[in-house]
Amino acid sequence: MALTTELGQQTQLTEVAGILLQTSTVGNWSQIQNFEAKPDDLLICTYPKSGTTWIQEIVDMIEQNGDVEKCQRALIQHRHPFIEWARPPQPSARNAKDCMVSYYHFQRMNQKLPDPGTWDDYFETFINGKVAWGSWFDHVRGWWEMKDRYQILFLFYEDIKKDPKHEIQKVMQFMGKNLDETVLDKIVQETSFEKMKENPMTNRSTIPKSILDQSISPFMRKGTVGDWKNHFTVAQNEMFDEIYRKKMEGTSINFCMEL
Ligand code: A3P
């Protein structure tokens, strides 16, 4: 694993409770462990690269009743601070293959994460869960198994892509809000990939190049379903499906196979 870049920046990952974390996050571990949610808190619990920023913007747009100007008040990372660096849970999952592709390109451009190496190297790293914030399988399976025990709204990136209005309506109901059709349509429009890619409050363009080098790969990269087909070899796909079947058995989340 790459420990430092040429610029001497720390890219080391450190294992905490069996999960690799960015070393800069480890110091805040007690903040994560000791976090106590208030009854009206809303927690967005996503695996990296599953559309965290998208759902954050959707939630804020609903909270602000579709007021675009209010959603421009601050950068997305300040409107929705990460617990590890700073409200019931709302996990959002994305099919593991596209997630892997997105994470690969994110690691290429994120100067604070280890160099992902070649695609073939990264394939191994990802399936073994040796990436920051741990294994996709453990994360998605863990939240899936919790979903009926707590007040949890489980969303899928692919569903939001297919029918954003329907999924946004689900989030709205979950948040106890009642917005009319025109406001909902506006939220759909304002949270489209194209809009969010152009919006400095959501596209991470204010983060210095020494952290996120968007000339290597933009943060708002493609925003599509199925980009894995441009990356996976036939052999990798077969191997992945086999691993997926074993690791996700019994969860009925089989979107990987359907894409
Ligand atoms: P790609 O790299 O496949 O383009 P996160 O916010 O969890 O880091 O996730 C980033 C991924 O979500 C990126 O995927 C990004 O393009 C995609 N994304 C962000 N906003 C989106 C939107 N409004 N619609 C669709 N995809 C979006």
Side-chain angles (χ1 to χ4, degrees), residues 195-209:
K195 282 270 187 173
M196 285 183 60
K197 190 176 171 71
E198 295 308 313
N199 180 353
M201 295 298 154
T202 56
N203 65 15
R204 303 289 205 277
S205 57
T206 59
I207 296 181
K209 200 174 171 179

Side-chain angles (χ1 to χ4, degrees), residues 40-249:
D40 61 345
D41 281 350
L42 184 104
L43 289 163
I44 297 171
C45 311
T46 50
Y47 188 76
K49 312 319 292 170
S50 302
T52 318
T53 317
W54 194 10
I55 194 71
Q56 286 174 327
E57 189 67 359
I58 289 173
V59 165
D60 198 32
M61 281 292 283
I62 294 173
E63 214 156 48
Q64 307 304 333
N65 305 314
D67 188 325
V68 177
E69 270 181 32
K70 278 191 183 159
C71 292
Q72 289 283 327
R73 72 194 179 283
L75 296 169
I76 193 76
Q77 60 268 38
H78 297 152
R79 286 179 281 143
H80 289 278
F82 286 99
I83 298 178
E84 60 264 43
W85 291 307
R87 321 170 310 164
Q90 186 175 310
S92 166
R94 183 180 193 184
N95 82 77
K97 294 176 188 173
D98 281 342
C99 202
M100 187 195 298
V101 168
S102 182
Y103 212 165
Y104 169 68
H105 291 291
F106 185 63
Q107 276 195 229
R108 290 197 309 117
M109 60 86 85
N110 188 327
Q111 306 303 308
K112 298 289 181 187
L113 287 174
D115 182 333
T118 64
W119 167 254
D120 290 349
D121 294 338
Y122 195 69
F123 182 86
E124 293 293 324
T125 310
F126 186 93
I127 56 174
N128 290 314
K130 299 292 180 200
V131 290
W133 291 282
S135 150
W136 181 97
F137 303 98
D138 292 347
H139 175 98
V140 175
R141 196 177 173 113
W143 282 109
W144 184 259
E145 285 166 0
M146 291 291 161
K147 75 177 176 22
D148 299 325
R149 282 201 252 161
Y150 299 95
Q151 207 185 338
I152 286 176
L153 176 69
F154 206 106
L155 298 166
F156 293 101
Y157 180 98
E158 292 71 21
D159 291 343
I160 315 178
K161 213 51 215 176
K162 199 169 164 193
D163 191 349
K165 193 169 174 180
H166 183 255
E167 297 303 303
I168 291 171
Q169 227 159 356
K170 279 207 252 182
V171 178
M172 179 196 78
Q173 282 158 1
F174 186 74
M175 291 171 67
K177 298 276 272 189
N178 189 13
L179 304 173
D180 64 36
E181 290 279 312
T182 45
V183 176
L184 275 176
D185 288 336
K186 190 170 163 196
I187 296 177
V188 170
Q189 222 185 340
E190 293 297 329
T191 57
S192 69
F193 179 75
E194 291 69 26
K195 282 270 187 173
M196 285 183 60
K197 190 176 171 71
E198 295 308 313
N199 180 353
M201 295 298 154
T202 56
N203 65 15
R204 303 289 205 277
S205 57
T206 59
I207 296 181
K209 200 174 171 179
S210 58
I211 300 175
L212 297 185
D213 189 345
Q214 304 218 28
S215 68
I216 297 176
S217 178
F219 182 84
M220 292 287 174
R221 197 182 57 91
K222 282 196 175 173
T224 55
V225 176
D227 192 31
W228 65 269
K229 290 171 190 160
N230 300 316
H231 291 74
F232 279 57
T233 63
V234 171
Q236 283 174 337
N237 190 36
E238 284 170 1
M239 190 201 283
F240 193 92
D241 283 352
E242 191 53 37
I243 293 167
Y244 185 93
R245 237 176 251 117
K246 284 190 190 133
K247 293 207 184 245
M248 301 305 279
E249 201 180 355

